[in-house]
Amino acid sequence: MYKSHHWRIVLVLLFVLITKFAKTQDLDSLLNLSAYTEESELQKNLNKNLTVSSSKALGVRESPGIISLITAEEIQNAGARDLIDILRLVPGFDVSQDLQFVLGIGLRGNWANEGKVMVLMDGQPFNDLLYQSVAVGNRFPVDAIEQIEIIRGPGSAIYGGSAEYGVINIKTKAAESLNGVAVYGTGGFHADAVGRTNGGVMMSKKSDNISWDASFFRGKGIVSDRNYQDLYKDSTAQNLAKTTMADPLNMNVGLRYKGLSARAMYDYYKTSDPFLYIFFKNFSADVKYNMKINPKITVVPQLKYYHQIPWSWGDRRTKESYFDIKAERLYGQLEMLYDVSRKINLNFGGIYFEDKGTDLLEGTAFHGNKTLALQNYAFFAQGLLKHRLVNATIGFRYEKNSRYGSAFVPRIGLTKKIENFHFKVLYCQAFRAPSIQNINIALGNKIKPEKSDVAEIELGYQFTPEMLLTVNAFSMTTKRILTYGSRGMAGVDFVEWYTNATKSGSRGFEVIYSIRKKVFYANLTYSFSNAIKIDSTLQTYKVSQTTRQYTGMLMNKVTLNTNFNVTENLTFNTSFIYGGKRYAYTTVDSNGDPVSTKLNPYLLVNGYLSYKNVVPGLTVGAGVFDILNQRPAIPQAYNGGFAPVPIRSREFVVKIYYQLNFKK
């Protein structure tokens, strides 16, 4: 009954959109592609051309994916402290705990941190090569971001085996729009602790033929300011303000000369629980050349190199290292883009890369060997046909790996914006490729790629130039889930492995209402996800209270983000994030086995005041996060032996941003 009730809601909303559309349009107007209204503040965002889900630039409403676009203005107005603040306002996204207080991404009711969401910044990947995970707490330079393009859905056909459920594509100001120098800083303060002190500088020079940019970001923070008691109560309660860290460092350099471009990035992120430190070192570099053969054909050769030391961990007090593996990737790609006509576009290409893991400690981490290597090649193709009734995107990707075999994923998307109405009908398959450690500790030395079937539909209607309502429904079914397991205690007959479980996934819908005028804007969202019933092969995500939610995952989330221009330069932003009940492992029974309990719903209320051009180019801001001091816990996303991390208490934040533009 409860499940059918939610589906009735989404069907009613879809019916309202279709009815409204039918009443206001006739057949001739459906075929008329001219703009129905003049470009408003809302349309300026909607009409931005994106390539995150296609090689050919398309607007948000016609891109073949369920897209969220977050702009620099929205980030600055909200006073976002880190990427977590931004993602919590996006439908379907949430944050959960992995190991050692490393925070990762949940999406549409699923733990998505290992290879299911790809995170890029200026084209450089943050997914590690050992497990394909991404740590997100106090890590990214949010004040340096120009915009974030998010696919709330699969991206494997374009991005390969690290984008099974979604893609987060971050573009910085230095790489995109900045033509000058900018400096910025953030301070976060709790009642009894300093939460974070982050700052950065970026410089960029743009011209028609040559451009360069360089940026530096450094920070110091804590995971929480509250006390923590481990699940088994083997130690005394710890003050996390004194025993944890979340310290980022990022250096980013880019150069472009006509069609030739190159970028190098070094990222270092160190965090900890009360007893163990953990750090991620990531160097990446790429060079590519857009070679224009003729007005219709462009050939793009590209070379990439990644050098990582991810998930390196050891004793926080003695600094003794327990796990230290270097991971490298050498990657080559050749792509061709062919504009057959104004209405037909093709792109296709081939990829080859080699991954290598090297044990930096005893040298025997790989079944007694010092190294493990794997080779991979792939072919991809995609076509876009623009028609007056529909835009059709059809594509596929095929990958073959020397260790785990092959994967083939097709993709089809039908999209169109017709005056004020738009629709998307999408179907694709996606895969999650086993990475170095998945292969290394595979149970029985056998592991296969995950495979997902995903169907999505989105309908949207722009009721006025300033008002848009979109509704999308999705169904995701994933088979051969890459699942972690272990037994024994660390140092005492401890054994760990990866294996393929049978099936998981979710079904649900998301609603977004946006209104944007010159003096204010508001975004109201609701997201619902219903987990596919877990079978006996996937017990790690199961809780005893329900079969409709996975461990630590939200079923219901409501967000409201509002911004008011009090004066021409003064803005006031408020955000409200309601998370429904969750279930997680929070205690143990008399036998020492973890037991799941219900976590109560929460409401996060944030307020932020920003003043632009205090002097020309200078913006200052101040705000309070978690005004009600709700402090919802961040649980582990599976039955892994960690108690929920107590989230930060109320935090007072101050920010400063200064930009000096070069003369043109």
Side-chain angles (χ1 to χ4, degrees):
M1 178 67 71
Y2 188 62
K3 178 179 178 181
S4 62
H5 173 70
H6 279 87
W7 283 105
R8 285 195 198 102
I9 292 174
V10 73
L11 289 174
V12 168
L13 288 169
L14 295 176
F15 177 76
V16 169
L17 284 174
I18 294 171
T19 303
K20 174 71 177 176
F21 174 66
K23 287 181 179 179
T24 56
Q25 318 292 325
D26 56 28
L27 181 59
D28 290 336
S29 66
L30 288 177
L31 303 181
N32 183 1
L33 303 184
S34 63
Y36 186 57
T37 56
E38 294 182 5
E39 189 176 58
S40 65
E41 293 298 312
L42 176 64
Q43 288 171 307
K44 288 177 183 178
N45 281 345
L46 296 177
N47 293 338
K48 287 183 178 180
N49 287 329
L50 309 178
T51 57
V52 66
S53 63
S54 64
S55 61
K56 191 71 173 178
L58 294 169
V60 173
R61 287 170 287 180
E62 293 190 294
S63 291
I66 308 300
I67 306 295
S68 292
L69 175 65
I70 298 98
T71 66
E73 177 194 25
E74 292 169 325
I75 294 170
Q76 185 180 71
N77 288 342
R81 299 165 295 177
D82 55 25
L83 190 62
I84 293 175
D85 284 341
I86 298 170
L87 293 180
R88 278 198 166 127
L89 290 170
V90 178
F93 278 88
D94 196 23
V95 175
S96 294
Q97 179 197 172
D98 201 336
L99 294 170
Q100 279 85 52
F101 290 6
V102 174
L103 306 183
I105 297 168
L107 178 57
R108 289 177 167 176
N110 301 271
W111 177 232
N113 199 46
E114 286 194 25
K116 293 184 175 67
V117 175
M118 188 168 196
V119 180
L120 302 161
M121 189 164 80
D122 292 336
Q124 308 305 301
F126 276 72
N127 297 68
D128 72 77
L129 296 174
L130 292 185
Y131 302 98
Q132 295 198 36
S133 60
V134 182
V136 295
N138 196 45
R139 183 175 187 181
F140 292 85
V142 293
D143 296 301
I145 292 175
E146 173 72 13
Q147 68 182 34
I148 305 176
E149 304 163 357
I150 297 176
I151 304 177
R152 306 191 324 268
S156 287
I158 301 174
Y159 296 95
S162 301
E164 188 178 17
Y165 284 178
V167 177
I168 300 172
N169 186 35
I170 301 169
K171 296 182 178 180
T172 66
K173 295 176 182 179
E176 295 293 317
S177 64
L178 179 67
N179 189 37
V181 181
V183 295
Y184 55 90
T186 299
F189 307 95
H190 304 286
D192 299 311
V194 177
R196 71 190 81 217
T197 51
N198 298 337
V201 58
M202 49 188 170
M203 181 181 297
S204 181
K205 180 70 174 177
K206 302 285 193 298
S207 68
D208 291 338
N209 290 328
I210 187 168
S211 299
W212 59 264
D213 63 86
S215 59
F216 176 83
F217 170 68
R218 181 74 183 268
K220 185 175 179 61
I222 57 177
V223 175
S224 176
D225 62 315
R226 300 174 60 202
N227 291 332
Y228 172 80
Q229 179 73 61
D230 71 276
L231 189 68
Y232 299 96
K233 295 181 171 55
D234 291 334
S235 63
T236 58
Q238 301 289 315
N239 183 343
L240 299 185
K242 298 179 179 179
T243 58
T244 65
M245 67 184 76
D247 300 347
L249 169 67
N250 185 274
M251 293 182 287
N252 184 0
V253 179
L255 177 66
R256 178 189 62 81
Y257 176 70
K258 294 184 177 179
L260 179 66
S261 61
R263 182 163 300 279
M265 184 181 296
Y266 174 76
D267 186 84
Y268 176 78
Y269 178 65
K270 189 172 185 178
T271 186
S272 69
D273 65 20
F275 309 104
L276 300 172
Y277 73 81
I278 187 164
F279 67 74
F280 301 80
K281 288 183 180 179
N282 182 7
F283 172 78
S284 59
D286 73 50
V287 58
K288 68 177 180 179
Y289 182 59
N290 290 316
M291 185 165 47
K292 202 82 173 174
I293 304 300
N294 58 46
K296 291 188 174 183
I297 297 177
T298 302
V299 176
V300 185
Q302 186 172 23
L303 289 175
K304 302 180 181 181
Y305 174 68
Y306 311 149
H307 181 285
Q308 303 177 350
I309 303 178
W311 287 100
S312 182
W313 60 277
D315 190 286
R316 184 177 162 273
R317 286 160 292 191
T318 66
K319 309 302 181 185
E320 180 183 0
S321 183
Y322 299 145
F323 182 87
D324 209 16
I325 291 179
K326 177 177 66 176
E328 297 173 280
R329 172 173 290 181
L330 185 60
Y331 177 107
Q333 174 177 312
L334 182 64
E335 181 179 14
M336 177 178 287
L337 296 94
Y338 179 27
D339 291 320
V340 180
S341 67
R342 186 173 60 87
K343 296 183 178 181
I344 301 176
N345 169 266
L346 300 174
N347 75 293
F348 50 89
I351 298 167
Y352 175 82
F353 65 83
E354 181 172 300
D355 288 351
K356 182 180 179 182
T358 304
D359 185 5
L360 300 178
L361 295 177
E362 298 177 0
T364 58
F366 303 108
H367 299 285
N369 298 318
K370 186 177 180 63
T371 63
L372 182 149
L374 55 93
Q375 295 79 40
N376 200 96
Y377 63 84
F379 301 99
F380 62 90
Q382 181 170 280
L384 171 64
L385 169 64
K386 290 185 175 182
H387 190 268
R388 63 180 184 175
L389 292 178
V390 69
N391 295 330
T393 301
I394 301 175
F396 73 88
R397 188 183 189 98
Y398 173 79
E399 285 203 6
K400 175 77 172 179
N401 186 275
S402 61
R403 292 295 188 113
Y404 56 75
S406 62
F408 174 80
V409 289
R411 178 193 194 206
I412 183 168
L414 304 175
T415 71
K416 197 64 183 177
K417 177 176 72 71
I418 306 173
E419 297 187 350
N420 286 12
F421 175 76
H422 81 264
F423 68 86
K424 299 181 181 185
V425 180
L426 310 168
Y427 170 77
C428 72
Q429 292 183 335
F431 72 102
R432 193 289 211 195
S435 49
I436 291 173
Q437 274 296 89
N438 304 145
I439 295 169
N440 180 43
I441 59 174
L443 189 63
N445 293 321
K446 294 180 180 179
I447 201 81
K448 292 291 184 181
E450 288 182 7
K451 195 73 170 289
S452 290
D453 282 279
V454 184
E456 300 170 294
I457 181 171
E458 178 179 280
L459 298 178
Y461 191 81
Q462 190 172 354
F463 293 94
T464 72
E466 300 89 8
M467 188 188 304
L468 176 70
L469 175 67
T470 61
V471 182
N472 73 275
F474 62 87
S475 174
M476 308 192 308
T477 302
T478 306
K479 298 180 179 179
R480 300 196 307 246
I481 312 300
L482 286 165
T483 308
Y484 177 81
S486 66
R487 65 172 179 266
M489 299 294 292
V492 185
D493 300 323
F494 179 72
V495 180
E496 59 180 346
W497 64 85
Y498 274 90
T499 188
N500 290 108
T502 304
K503 184 172 70 172
S504 75
S506 62
R507 298 184 178 94
F509 62 92
E510 298 153 350
V511 183
I512 303 176
Y513 170 80
S514 299
I515 182 168
R516 182 177 286 265
K517 294 179 177 288
K518 289 187 179 297
V519 296
F520 82 94
Y521 62 78
N523 294 299
L524 175 66
T525 79
Y526 171 65
S527 47
F528 167 79
S529 61
N530 182 44
I532 292 175
K533 186 177 179 180
I534 298 174
D535 63 23
S536 59
T537 65
L538 205 59
Q539 292 297 316
T540 187
Y541 296 129
K542 186 176 182 179
V543 292
S544 60
Q545 290 84 358
T546 180
T547 59
R548 302 178 65 240
Q549 287 177 254
Y550 298 140
T551 305
M553 295 293 113
L554 284 171
M555 176 184 284
N556 297 281
K557 187 178 81 166
V558 181
T559 74
L560 174 63
N561 183 39
T562 65
N563 192 81
F564 297 89
N565 295 337
V566 182
T567 67
E568 182 180 356
N569 293 326
L570 181 65
T571 64
F572 179 63
N573 187 280
T574 56
S575 60
F576 304 84
I577 302 162
Y578 170 81
K581 61 186 177 182
R582 298 166 294 165
Y583 300 93
Y585 289 88
T586 61
T587 186
V588 294
D589 61 19
S590 57
N591 296 320
D593 296 323
V595 176
S596 62
T597 60
K598 184 177 81 170
L599 301 179
N600 292 326
Y602 62 85
L603 176 64
L604 293 175
V605 180
N606 309 314
Y608 189 78
L609 198 65
S610 177
Y611 196 93
K612 301 174 181 137
N613 291 320
V614 177
V615 297
L618 176 64
T619 298
V620 297
V624 185
F625 289 78
D626 193 8
I627 294 173
L628 303 179
N629 214 22
Q630 293 268 287
R631 302 175 297 183
I634 301 180
Q636 197 169 21
Y638 47 90
N639 184 5
F642 273 76
V645 177
I647 199 172
R648 297 166 176 268
S649 60
R650 185 185 298 115
E651 185 172 2
F652 299 87
V653 172
V654 292
K655 288 196 172 198
I656 185 169
Y657 180 93
Y658 178 71
Q659 181 172 319
L660 176 64
N661 296 324
F662 293 143
K663 293 182 179 180
K664 293 184 179 181

